[in-house]
Amino acid sequence: MRTTTVTADGDQIRWVELPGQEPSRVYIHGLGATSPAYFAEVAVHPLLASHRSLLIDLLGHGISDRPSSFDYTLESHADALAAALNSAGVTGAELIAHSMGGSVAIVLAARHPHLVSRLVLVDANLDPIPRAPGSSGSSGIAAYSEQEFLAGGWEEVRDRVGPHWWSTMRLAGREALHRSATYLIRGTVPTMRELLVDLKIPRAYLLPEADGPLPGTDALTQAGVSVVPIPDCGHNIMLDNPQAFVRATAAALADHAQP
């Protein structure tokens, strides 16, 4: 495990690092998750294991610190992650990023372009979404006020998400979980989708085939984003169908064509 300080208050981001060649590959988890748990199996697969790999936990999640004073906007997540990567001597990294982590990765690439050479987004959030009371994802968490969530709403979320997601969600700070969800559904200005379209690096977007076509696929494709449906999986593609995930990710990282 590696660690570095990323805020003026001394808060630390931690990650599991696997040795290998450059450029580094950085794996970024989603809301209420942790990168070692979600990416360890695929990161050590022979098709992906040759590169230095950082399975990194965002502030508020997993093995990283959970400061209650941090605001947990997508921009702040991206800047804290940038500080960690700079400390680790990472430049021009290949980012493999799931769900909310994909949103953070897009913002990171836009704000700190020297750190990112290509993106593989895994069913990432690209657009603002409405609050949805009673749902188990970010829109359900953000439907509570922070006070309501801390006072007991988190227990309702725990019961809705089930033991698998809760096994990592319980590691997240409660303020971190609520604020991350709130800013995720709010999105960025310009939106994450607009930022993604404007990036000038190779980009791929993996999504579950069963979800049907990704909204706005034509515009993404025209902008050079490779949109790749993955069979036999849900939102957690790397866990549900790791072999297909590895093949698609390795192909995206091996494709040196520029958009």
Side-chain angles (χ1 to χ4, degrees):
M1 182 178 70
R2 309 292 176 87
T3 186
T4 192
T5 300
V6 296
T7 71
D9 293 332
D11 305 307
Q12 295 191 324
I13 275 181
R14 298 180 179 87
W15 65 94
V16 171
E17 184 164 329
L18 306 173
Q21 66 189 29
E22 296 292 342
S24 296
R25 289 176 178 163
V26 178
Y27 292 83
I28 311 171
H29 62 82
L31 180 71
T34 169
S35 288
Y38 274 67
F39 287 112
E41 179 180 2
V42 295
V44 300
H45 189 283
L47 290 177
L48 295 178
S50 60
H51 285 247
R52 180 191 183 196
S53 298
L54 287 72
L55 284 64
I56 199 161
D57 282 349
L58 299 172
L59 270 186
H61 291 73
I63 57 176
S64 291
D65 285 353
R66 301 179 289 277
S68 59
S69 58
F70 194 70
D71 62 17
Y72 296 100
T73 66
L74 292 173
E75 293 85 354
S76 292
H77 271 306
D79 290 347
L81 180 55
L85 297 182
N86 281 322
S87 177
V90 171
T91 58
E94 301 173 338
L95 270 52
I96 300 97
H98 179 229
S99 197
M100 182 188 79
S103 304
V104 173
I106 293 167
V107 176
L108 176 69
R111 291 168 71 89
H112 305 275
H114 70 287
L115 292 175
V116 185
S117 63
R118 62 180 62 222
L119 290 176
V120 178
L121 304 173
V122 187
D123 210 19
N125 303 68
L126 299 181
D127 306 296
I129 57 176
R131 290 174 170 82
S135 71
S136 58
S138 56
S139 58
I141 293 171
Y144 299 93
S145 69
E146 184 169 314
Q147 182 178 8
E148 291 169 340
F149 186 75
L150 298 179
W154 68 269
E155 295 173 307
E156 297 175 354
V157 170
R158 174 198 62 196
D159 295 341
R160 288 199 297 266
V161 302
H164 185 271
W165 195 0
W166 184 250
S167 69
T168 59
M169 189 181 285
R170 68 186 179 186
L171 302 176
R174 291 174 191 166
E175 294 93 347
L177 189 61
H178 184 269
R179 293 175 197 169
S180 294
T182 297
Y183 287 110
L184 177 61
I185 71 162
R186 186 178 301 177
T188 57
V189 180
T191 66
M192 294 86 78
R193 182 183 295 270
E194 291 168 329
L195 293 174
L196 177 62
V197 165
D198 286 344
L199 293 175
K200 305 304 180 186
I201 56 176
R203 295 144 295 161
Y205 187 104
L206 280 53
L207 74 156
E209 185 177 71
D211 286 358
L214 178 69
T217 291
D218 289 346
L220 291 174
T221 301
Q222 290 171 9
V225 181
S226 175
V227 179
V228 185
I230 306 296
D232 304 321
C233 66
H235 179 57
N236 296 323
I237 300 173
M238 72 295 290
L239 300 178
D240 297 338
N241 193 344
Q243 293 298 323
F245 174 87
V246 165
R247 289 193 298 269
T249 300
L253 297 175
D255 180 8
H256 295 288
Q258 295 290 328

